[in-house]
Amino acid sequence: MSARMQVGLSDDRRTATLTFLEGSGLEGSIPLSLDQMTQLISSLGAVRAAMVDHIPPPPIEGVPVVPVFRTNWAVQPEALTEGSLIAFQHPAYGPVGLALVPADARRVVQALTRHQGMVHSSRDAASKPS
């Protein structure tokens, strides 16, 4: 299926324009502010979530992921599961969070601890085997 619309960013990076392409059945374009773009992304995400609600999440192992390197994040208790919530500001999607039940939180702690043991960029990295 080919795209029937495209979104472009203004030169000053303050607005975007959603333009309907040939074959969409519509003509014209819609200017969007940052708030409007955020609301559109949120609405699309909510609809997508409803569309996949009855489908088990696919495996994530081996799937390419685009990491976020510059963000604000927080870890806090999550009351419903008595686990933890990892929340961060995603540059493309806004605030997102992952709720972890206690067993999954332990797995994350174990994995991060292992990863810290693999880090070569510390001050004493020269004395560590590579």
Side-chain angles (χ1 to χ4, degrees), residues 64-71 88 90-91:
V65 174
V66 177
V68 174
F69 292 102
R70 194 177 132 252
T71 187
F88 65 97
H90 193 288

Side-chain angles (χ1 to χ4, degrees), residues 2-128:
S2 63
R4 294 185 282 174
M5 65 186 92
Q6 69 182 21
V7 179
L9 184 62
S10 66
D11 290 339
D12 66 4
R13 302 173 81 90
R14 292 181 184 212
T15 60
T17 302
L18 183 135
T19 304
F20 297 101
L21 302 175
E22 190 175 325
S24 69
L26 300 170
E27 291 184 17
S29 59
I30 302 171
L32 299 166
S33 67
L34 176 60
D35 287 342
Q36 291 168 324
M37 178 66 79
T38 301
Q39 183 179 3
L40 176 61
I41 290 168
S42 179
S43 297
L44 290 170
V47 170
R48 186 184 188 287
M51 291 173 79
V52 300
D53 185 45
H54 65 286
I55 302 170
I60 192 70
E61 291 80 11
V63 174
V65 174
V66 177
V68 174
F69 292 102
R70 194 177 132 252
T71 187
N72 290 324
W73 61 273
V75 178
Q76 58 195 44
E78 200 286 309
L80 186 61
T81 64
E82 295 184 348
S84 299
L85 175 70
I86 300 173
F88 65 97
Q89 287 287 347
H90 193 288
Y93 308 112
V96 295
L98 170 64
L100 299 169
V101 297
D104 288 339
R106 280 189 292 279
R107 286 181 51 210
V108 168
V109 168
Q110 290 168 351
L112 291 173
T113 301
R114 278 193 315 274
H115 295 170
Q116 284 297 303
M118 297 165 43
V119 172
H120 294 286
S121 59
S122 64
R123 289 184 188 164
D124 63 339
S127 65
K128 291 184 179 179

